[in-house]
Amino acid sequence: MDDQILFALGSRTCVPEDPLIAARAMGLRSVVFTPRPPGCGAAAGLMDHVDYVDLQQPEQAVELARRIHDRAPIRGVLGYEEDATLMAAHIAAALGLPAHPVAAAEAAMDKPAMKRLFQRAGVPCADFTVARDEDDAVAWARAGGYPVVVKPCRGGASQGVIRADDDTSLRLAYRRLRRIIRDHDLDNGDRPPSAQLVERYLPGAEVSVELLLQYGEAAVVTEFGKPLPLTGPFFEETVYITPPALEAGLRKELHELAVAAAAALGFHHGPAHCEIRLTPDGPRVLEIAGRLLGGACARSFRDRLGGDVHTYLLRAAMGERVTIPPPAADAPVVGALMMPVPAEGRVVAVGGVERARRVPGVWDVSMMAEPGEVIVPFPEQACYAVGFVSASGRDEADVVDSLSWAGASISLELAPVRPDRWTSPIAAEPGPEPAGLPEPAGQLAGILFDELPAAEALCEARQVLSAQLRQPGEHCRIGVDGVGLLTGWVLDGIGHIGAGGPYPRARRSGGYRRAMSELIAALAAEFARRGATQCVIDVDPRSPALAGTVAALGFARRPRPAPEPGGTRTFSCALTPASCADGEVSGDAGSCCTC
């Protein structure tokens, strides 16, 4: 296997083993670039080479790819998730491989830039603005009317996407979105943290059109319908069906619209996933991405194409001309279920998978949520990672029925989410006695609660400080000019990191990890000056940015205690547990506890 294929994975990529299996079957060596250990069912044994890369430093990934390419040729590059497709575009351009241009990949990452290109090309889309702050958002919404939708300027998987129907709900949604961006360290496109995307809500059903572009020519792979309403306030996608029941004229119009959207961004070579709303005023493009439908949902192409879609993508990435076969006349209707997130919690056990596999019409069940993982509902959720079900049948209703029964068969036992404790020996030299620092509550208000009005932020910050000062020990704090502030205390030779973090301006353009690393190093030096030999920090696992930072700094997570007896609850992954207050189930029946 001298020829290689490079898979670029994103920070939240959920890619099963399928593309790796396809590469192995084609005699290709799989090289994986990823910011974190791959999960979501990706088989480590199928990855011939793995390198951990910083998505914010594509030039480093390019140099690494060059060195690998010099040893054995990289024949093609495939990206999964928007930030990864940008890195893939940089690598492909440097190696002279066919791919979407870097400028197109950048536009696909940035929703406002994308929508401006749509407008310039005459592609119909929702009216939008990048609001300076929540007051600006409310003024814009009032001028044009509600409802509106707030979104991160960059991001995916419906994370942070919230509908608002009036001034009050818009302010709450705007603040919630800013917390999500801060806690998950989402890239805001070098905009101030107060600036967010607000657009008109588009009513109507939603479909996606999947394209494969080859040297500028676009071919439709298939369309997917989303039969369950996506009306908000959050937009967790669950069911995809292909082919959707569409009138021939509308189908042609959607194909042309998707191709126009791809051309507006400058997509040239590779897959594209275009999402469209069927509004009363006609189809409107929501977004387009330089990738195919994600996760195990891509398995739905098998029955439509008569083969694995990843083989076509790999061949196209290698520069071969491929022809997408039309579905057979007797091809079934195919569907995919992205299992809904039933509740927040740490996964203790998964039940009912074999029962789901026995549901008529179901031919694949892939569970991504594993014991120990933390899941949270939308809009905080960062990916569709509970699990996937694939089914086929005679018509749409038949397939939706199979997917619904399969989802209702599966249950998750969840324990409450508690902080993880991370520890590290202190290797820092004792620091000098710090100079006088400003009153910390005002600093923390801007660091931890910058989405709130100033008076509310200060009140919240004072409560945090008050709780910390009740801890026994010698309290301290450290500030780094232009970076941020951290507080802590030393007790019995252990330095405990408390509240704080980087200033909002230091978090822009992916600077969180660098800034937080500098702050922790400075506080560790202060701990050492006070005689501490070990450093401890309690991390909320729902804030992956901090967990990833301390892990990269060499902190070790202590073993988690077992859940207390009776301290867990079991929830159904049913699509519509409407007859239950929260979807909780009893026993292993896989049905609502009150049904």
PDB file of all heavy atoms in Angstrom, residues 150-176:
ATOM      1  N   VAL A 150     -31.167  32.825  16.028  1.00  0.00           N
ATOM      2  CA  VAL A 150     -29.777  33.199  16.301  1.00  0.00           C
ATOM      3  C   VAL A 150     -28.900  31.978  16.060  1.00  0.00           C
ATOM      4  O   VAL A 150     -29.291  30.840  16.335  1.00  0.00           O
ATOM      5  CB  VAL A 150     -29.583  33.732  17.739  1.00  0.00           C
ATOM      6  CG1 VAL A 150     -30.365  35.017  17.939  1.00  0.00           C
ATOM      7  CG2 VAL A 150     -29.984  32.701  18.779  1.00  0.00           C
ATOM      8  N   LYS A 151     -27.711  32.231  15.512  1.00  0.00           N
ATOM      9  CA  LYS A 151     -26.782  31.162  15.174  1.00  0.00           C
ATOM     10  C   LYS A 151     -25.354  31.616  15.452  1.00  0.00           C
ATOM     11  O   LYS A 151     -25.054  32.811  15.364  1.00  0.00           O
ATOM     12  CB  LYS A 151     -26.866  30.811  13.674  1.00  0.00           C
ATOM     13  CG  LYS A 151     -28.169  30.214  13.196  1.00  0.00           C
ATOM     14  CD  LYS A 151     -28.072  29.904  11.706  1.00  0.00           C
ATOM     15  CE  LYS A 151     -29.314  29.218  11.188  1.00  0.00           C
ATOM     16  NZ  LYS A 151     -29.208  28.886   9.742  1.00  0.00           N
ATOM     17  N   PRO A 152     -24.464  30.662  15.729  1.00  0.00           N
ATOM     18  CA  PRO A 152     -23.045  31.027  15.744  1.00  0.00           C
ATOM     19  C   PRO A 152     -22.625  31.440  14.337  1.00  0.00           C
ATOM     20  O   PRO A 152     -23.128  30.915  13.343  1.00  0.00           O
ATOM     21  CB  PRO A 152     -22.338  29.730  16.162  1.00  0.00           C
ATOM     22  CG  PRO A 152     -23.403  28.814  16.645  1.00  0.00           C
ATOM     23  CD  PRO A 152     -24.679  29.232  16.001  1.00  0.00           C
ATOM     24  N   CYS A 153     -21.709  32.374  14.234  1.00  0.00           N
ATOM     25  CA  CYS A 153     -21.197  32.739  12.911  1.00  0.00           C
ATOM     26  C   CYS A 153     -20.452  31.572  12.277  1.00  0.00           C
ATOM     27  O   CYS A 153     -20.396  31.457  11.051  1.00  0.00           O
ATOM     28  CB  CYS A 153     -20.277  33.951  13.019  1.00  0.00           C
ATOM     29  SG  CYS A 153     -21.158  35.490  13.410  1.00  0.00           S
ATOM     30  N   ARG A 154     -19.897  30.715  13.119  1.00  0.00           N
ATOM     31  CA  ARG A 154     -19.235  29.511  12.632  1.00  0.00           C
ATOM     32  C   ARG A 154     -19.642  28.355  13.537  1.00  0.00           C
ATOM     33  O   ARG A 154     -19.761  28.516  14.742  1.00  0.00           O
ATOM     34  CB  ARG A 154     -17.717  29.671  12.637  1.00  0.00           C
ATOM     35  CG  ARG A 154     -17.221  30.777  11.718  1.00  0.00           C
ATOM     36  CD  ARG A 154     -15.716  30.794  11.608  1.00  0.00           C
ATOM     37  NE  ARG A 154     -15.281  31.754  10.613  1.00  0.00           N
ATOM     38  CZ  ARG A 154     -14.032  31.818  10.137  1.00  0.00           C
ATOM     39  NH1 ARG A 154     -13.115  30.972  10.580  1.00  0.00           N
ATOM     40  NH2 ARG A 154     -13.713  32.712   9.220  1.00  0.00           N
ATOM     41  N   GLY A 155     -19.842  27.201  12.954  1.00  0.00           N
ATOM     42  CA  GLY A 155     -20.242  26.044  13.748  1.00  0.00           C
ATOM     43  C   GLY A 155     -21.101  25.121  12.912  1.00  0.00           C
ATOM     44  O   GLY A 155     -21.382  25.378  11.737  1.00  0.00           O
ATOM     45  N   GLY A 156     -21.526  24.018  13.519  1.00  0.00           N
ATOM     46  CA  GLY A 156     -22.328  23.044  12.797  1.00  0.00           C
ATOM     47  C   GLY A 156     -23.156  22.209  13.733  1.00  0.00           C
ATOM     48  O   GLY A 156     -23.186  22.424  14.952  1.00  0.00           O
ATOM     49  N   ALA A 157     -23.864  21.229  13.145  1.00  0.00           N
ATOM     50  CA  ALA A 157     -24.671  20.260  13.881  1.00  0.00           C
ATOM     51  C   ALA A 157     -25.767  20.920  14.711  1.00  0.00           C
ATOM     52  O   ALA A 157     -26.169  20.387  15.744  1.00  0.00           O
ATOM     53  CB  ALA A 157     -23.784  19.388  14.778  1.00  0.00           C
ATOM     54  N   SER A 158     -26.232  22.081  14.295  1.00  0.00           N
ATOM     55  CA  SER A 158     -27.313  22.805  14.972  1.00  0.00           C
ATOM     56  C   SER A 158     -26.938  23.270  16.373  1.00  0.00           C
ATOM     57  O   SER A 158     -27.810  23.676  17.147  1.00  0.00           O
ATOM     58  CB  SER A 158     -28.593  21.949  15.048  1.00  0.00           C
ATOM     59  OG  SER A 158     -29.053  21.605  13.758  1.00  0.00           O
ATOM     60  N   GLN A 159     -25.659  23.240  16.712  1.00  0.00           N
ATOM     61  CA  GLN A 159     -25.223  23.710  18.025  1.00  0.00           C
ATOM     62  C   GLN A 159     -25.416  25.222  18.119  1.00  0.00           C
ATOM     63  O   GLN A 159     -24.965  25.975  17.257  1.00  0.00           O
ATOM     64  CB  GLN A 159     -23.758  23.365  18.273  1.00  0.00           C
ATOM     65  CG  GLN A 159     -23.271  23.742  19.668  1.00  0.00           C
ATOM     66  CD  GLN A 159     -21.801  23.449  19.872  1.00  0.00           C
ATOM     67  OE1 GLN A 159     -21.022  23.445  18.922  1.00  0.00           O
ATOM     68  NE2 GLN A 159     -21.410  23.206  21.103  1.00  0.00           N
ATOM     69  N   GLY A 160     -26.123  25.663  19.159  1.00  0.00           N
ATOM     70  CA  GLY A 160     -26.315  27.083  19.384  1.00  0.00           C
ATOM     71  C   GLY A 160     -27.366  27.733  18.514  1.00  0.00           C
ATOM     72  O   GLY A 160     -27.535  28.948  18.569  1.00  0.00           O
ATOM     73  N   VAL A 161     -28.095  26.952  17.725  1.00  0.00           N
ATOM     74  CA  VAL A 161     -29.127  27.508  16.843  1.00  0.00           C
ATOM     75  C   VAL A 161     -30.447  27.549  17.612  1.00  0.00           C
ATOM     76  O   VAL A 161     -30.954  26.511  18.030  1.00  0.00           O
ATOM     77  CB  VAL A 161     -29.262  26.675  15.561  1.00  0.00           C
ATOM     78  CG1 VAL A 161     -30.327  27.272  14.642  1.00  0.00           C
ATOM     79  CG2 VAL A 161     -27.919  26.591  14.837  1.00  0.00           C
ATOM     80  N   ILE A 162     -31.013  28.754  17.787  1.00  0.00           N
ATOM     81  CA  ILE A 162     -32.172  28.936  18.661  1.00  0.00           C
ATOM     82  C   ILE A 162     -33.155  29.901  17.998  1.00  0.00           C
ATOM     83  O   ILE A 162     -32.767  30.979  17.539  1.00  0.00           O
ATOM     84  CB  ILE A 162     -31.754  29.508  20.032  1.00  0.00           C
ATOM     85  CG1 ILE A 162     -30.602  28.687  20.654  1.00  0.00           C
ATOM     86  CG2 ILE A 162     -32.945  29.546  20.986  1.00  0.00           C
ATOM     87  CD1 ILE A 162     -30.000  29.318  21.892  1.00  0.00           C
ATOM     88  N   ARG A 163     -34.425  29.514  18.002  1.00  0.00           N
ATOM     89  CA  ARG A 163     -35.475  30.402  17.492  1.00  0.00           C
ATOM     90  C   ARG A 163     -35.967  31.306  18.619  1.00  0.00           C
ATOM     91  O   ARG A 163     -36.081  30.884  19.775  1.00  0.00           O
ATOM     92  CB  ARG A 163     -36.632  29.565  16.948  1.00  0.00           C
ATOM     93  CG  ARG A 163     -37.881  30.366  16.620  1.00  0.00           C
ATOM     94  CD  ARG A 163     -38.948  29.513  15.990  1.00  0.00           C
ATOM     95  NE  ARG A 163     -40.267  30.151  16.058  1.00  0.00           N
ATOM     96  CZ  ARG A 163     -41.303  29.790  15.334  1.00  0.00           C
ATOM     97  NH1 ARG A 163     -41.196  28.794  14.469  1.00  0.00           N
ATOM     98  NH2 ARG A 163     -42.462  30.418  15.463  1.00  0.00           N
ATOM     99  N   ALA A 164     -36.278  32.545  18.255  1.00  0.00           N
ATOM    100  CA  ALA A 164     -36.836  33.510  19.211  1.00  0.00           C
ATOM    101  C   ALA A 164     -38.067  34.148  18.586  1.00  0.00           C
ATOM    102  O   ALA A 164     -38.059  34.524  17.411  1.00  0.00           O
ATOM    103  CB  ALA A 164     -35.807  34.578  19.569  1.00  0.00           C
ATOM    104  N   ASP A 165     -39.127  34.290  19.397  1.00  0.00           N
ATOM    105  CA  ASP A 165     -40.401  34.802  18.903  1.00  0.00           C
ATOM    106  C   ASP A 165     -40.747  36.195  19.411  1.00  0.00           C
ATOM    107  O   ASP A 165     -41.764  36.771  19.002  1.00  0.00           O
ATOM    108  CB  ASP A 165     -41.536  33.843  19.292  1.00  0.00           C
ATOM    109  CG  ASP A 165     -41.400  32.496  18.619  1.00  0.00           C
ATOM    110  OD1 ASP A 165     -40.883  32.458  17.487  1.00  0.00           O
ATOM    111  OD2 ASP A 165     -41.811  31.477  19.208  1.00  0.00           O
ATOM    112  N   ASP A 166     -39.925  36.745  20.320  1.00  0.00           N
ATOM    113  CA  ASP A 166     -40.184  38.089  20.836  1.00  0.00           C
ATOM    114  C   ASP A 166     -38.895  38.620  21.453  1.00  0.00           C
ATOM    115  O   ASP A 166     -37.869  37.933  21.488  1.00  0.00           O
ATOM    116  CB  ASP A 166     -41.323  38.076  21.863  1.00  0.00           C
ATOM    117  CG  ASP A 166     -41.127  37.049  22.963  1.00  0.00           C
ATOM    118  OD1 ASP A 166     -39.972  36.859  23.410  1.00  0.00           O
ATOM    119  OD2 ASP A 166     -42.114  36.425  23.381  1.00  0.00           O
ATOM    120  N   ASP A 167     -38.971  39.868  21.962  1.00  0.00           N
ATOM    121  CA  ASP A 167     -37.771  40.506  22.498  1.00  0.00           C
ATOM    122  C   ASP A 167     -37.152  39.689  23.636  1.00  0.00           C
ATOM    123  O   ASP A 167     -35.935  39.495  23.696  1.00  0.00           O
ATOM    124  CB  ASP A 167     -38.095  41.906  23.012  1.00  0.00           C
ATOM    125  CG  ASP A 167     -38.417  42.886  21.893  1.00  0.00           C
ATOM    126  OD1 ASP A 167     -38.376  42.476  20.713  1.00  0.00           O
ATOM    127  OD2 ASP A 167     -38.716  44.060  22.207  1.00  0.00           O
ATOM    128  N   THR A 168     -38.000  39.229  24.551  1.00  0.00           N
ATOM    129  CA  THR A 168     -37.482  38.527  25.725  1.00  0.00           C
ATOM    130  C   THR A 168     -36.785  37.235  25.335  1.00  0.00           C
ATOM    131  O   THR A 168     -35.662  36.951  25.789  1.00  0.00           O
ATOM    132  CB  THR A 168     -38.627  38.231  26.717  1.00  0.00           C
ATOM    133  OG1 THR A 168     -39.211  39.463  27.141  1.00  0.00           O
ATOM    134  CG2 THR A 168     -38.110  37.475  27.936  1.00  0.00           C
ATOM    135  N   SER A 169     -37.436  36.433  24.486  1.00  0.00           N
ATOM    136  CA  SER A 169     -36.814  35.158  24.102  1.00  0.00           C
ATOM    137  C   SER A 169     -35.566  35.390  23.262  1.00  0.00           C
ATOM    138  O   SER A 169     -34.614  34.604  23.323  1.00  0.00           O
ATOM    139  CB  SER A 169     -37.814  34.278  23.350  1.00  0.00           C
ATOM    140  OG  SER A 169     -38.266  34.897  22.163  1.00  0.00           O
ATOM    141  N   LEU A 170     -35.518  36.477  22.499  1.00  0.00           N
ATOM    142  CA  LEU A 170     -34.314  36.770  21.725  1.00  0.00           C
ATOM    143  C   LEU A 170     -33.152  37.125  22.639  1.00  0.00           C
ATOM    144  O   LEU A 170     -32.022  36.660  22.431  1.00  0.00           O
ATOM    145  CB  LEU A 170     -34.590  37.902  20.740  1.00  0.00           C
ATOM    146  CG  LEU A 170     -33.391  38.372  19.900  1.00  0.00           C
ATOM    147  CD1 LEU A 170     -32.731  37.211  19.180  1.00  0.00           C
ATOM    148  CD2 LEU A 170     -33.822  39.452  18.903  1.00  0.00           C
ATOM    149  N   ARG A 171     -33.404  37.944  23.653  1.00  0.00           N
ATOM    150  CA  ARG A 171     -32.312  38.283  24.577  1.00  0.00           C
ATOM    151  C   ARG A 171     -31.788  37.031  25.284  1.00  0.00           C
ATOM    152  O   ARG A 171     -30.570  36.845  25.431  1.00  0.00           O
ATOM    153  CB  ARG A 171     -32.784  39.321  25.593  1.00  0.00           C
ATOM    154  CG  ARG A 171     -33.022  40.707  24.996  1.00  0.00           C
ATOM    155  CD  ARG A 171     -33.345  41.750  26.057  1.00  0.00           C
ATOM    156  NE  ARG A 171     -33.630  43.054  25.462  1.00  0.00           N
ATOM    157  CZ  ARG A 171     -32.704  43.920  25.067  1.00  0.00           C
ATOM    158  NH1 ARG A 171     -31.422  43.630  25.243  1.00  0.00           N
ATOM    159  NH2 ARG A 171     -33.051  45.084  24.537  1.00  0.00           N
ATOM    160  N   LEU A 172     -32.704  36.180  25.730  1.00  0.00           N
ATOM    161  CA  LEU A 172     -32.277  34.953  26.400  1.00  0.00           C
ATOM    162  C   LEU A 172     -31.504  34.040  25.451  1.00  0.00           C
ATOM    163  O   LEU A 172     -30.485  33.439  25.819  1.00  0.00           O
ATOM    164  CB  LEU A 172     -33.494  34.222  26.966  1.00  0.00           C
ATOM    165  CG  LEU A 172     -34.216  34.914  28.126  1.00  0.00           C
ATOM    166  CD1 LEU A 172     -35.487  34.155  28.492  1.00  0.00           C
ATOM    167  CD2 LEU A 172     -33.299  35.032  29.346  1.00  0.00           C
ATOM    168  N   ALA A 173     -31.996  33.913  24.214  1.00  0.00           N
ATOM    169  CA  ALA A 173     -31.318  33.067  23.234  1.00  0.00           C
ATOM    170  C   ALA A 173     -29.938  33.616  22.901  1.00  0.00           C
ATOM    171  O   ALA A 173     -28.968  32.861  22.769  1.00  0.00           O
ATOM    172  CB  ALA A 173     -32.168  32.967  21.965  1.00  0.00           C
ATOM    173  N   TYR A 174     -29.841  34.926  22.779  1.00  0.00           N
ATOM    174  CA  TYR A 174     -28.566  35.558  22.440  1.00  0.00           C
ATOM    175  C   TYR A 174     -27.529  35.298  23.534  1.00  0.00           C
ATOM    176  O   TYR A 174     -26.376  34.959  23.248  1.00  0.00           O
ATOM    177  CB  TYR A 174     -28.778  37.059  22.249  1.00  0.00           C
ATOM    178  CG  TYR A 174     -27.782  37.732  21.336  1.00  0.00           C
ATOM    179  CD1 TYR A 174     -28.041  37.844  19.977  1.00  0.00           C
ATOM    180  CD2 TYR A 174     -26.592  38.247  21.828  1.00  0.00           C
ATOM    181  CE1 TYR A 174     -27.136  38.471  19.125  1.00  0.00           C
ATOM    182  CE2 TYR A 174     -25.682  38.869  20.988  1.00  0.00           C
ATOM    183  CZ  TYR A 174     -25.961  38.980  19.633  1.00  0.00           C
ATOM    184  OH  TYR A 174     -25.050  39.592  18.801  1.00  0.00           O
ATOM    185  N   ARG A 175     -27.948  35.422  24.777  1.00  0.00           N
ATOM    186  CA  ARG A 175     -27.022  35.189  25.893  1.00  0.00           C
ATOM    187  C   ARG A 175     -26.635  33.710  25.966  1.00  0.00           C
ATOM    188  O   ARG A 175     -25.472  33.372  26.228  1.00  0.00           O
ATOM    189  CB  ARG A 175     -27.662  35.637  27.209  1.00  0.00           C
ATOM    190  CG  ARG A 175     -27.923  37.133  27.255  1.00  0.00           C
ATOM    191  CD  ARG A 175     -28.696  37.546  28.501  1.00  0.00           C
ATOM    192  NE  ARG A 175     -29.127  38.950  28.406  1.00  0.00           N
ATOM    193  CZ  ARG A 175     -29.801  39.577  29.346  1.00  0.00           C
ATOM    194  NH1 ARG A 175     -30.144  38.950  30.469  1.00  0.00           N
ATOM    195  NH2 ARG A 175     -30.149  40.840  29.182  1.00  0.00           N
ATOM    196  N   ARG A 176     -27.603  32.845  25.729  1.00  0.00           N
ATOM    197  CA  ARG A 176     -27.308  31.412  25.770  1.00  0.00           C
ATOM    198  C   ARG A 176     -26.312  31.044  24.679  1.00  0.00           C
ATOM    199  O   ARG A 176     -25.385  30.253  24.910  1.00  0.00           O
ATOM    200  CB  ARG A 176     -28.601  30.620  25.613  1.00  0.00           C
ATOM    201  CG  ARG A 176     -28.444  29.122  25.813  1.00  0.00           C
ATOM    202  CD  ARG A 176     -29.810  28.465  25.864  1.00  0.00           C
ATOM    203  NE  ARG A 176     -29.714  27.046  26.189  1.00  0.00           N
ATOM    204  CZ  ARG A 176     -30.760  26.245  26.364  1.00  0.00           C
ATOM    205  NH1 ARG A 176     -31.996  26.736  26.254  1.00  0.00           N
ATOM    206  NH2 ARG A 176     -30.601  24.965  26.659  1.00  0.00           N
TER     207      ARG A 176
END
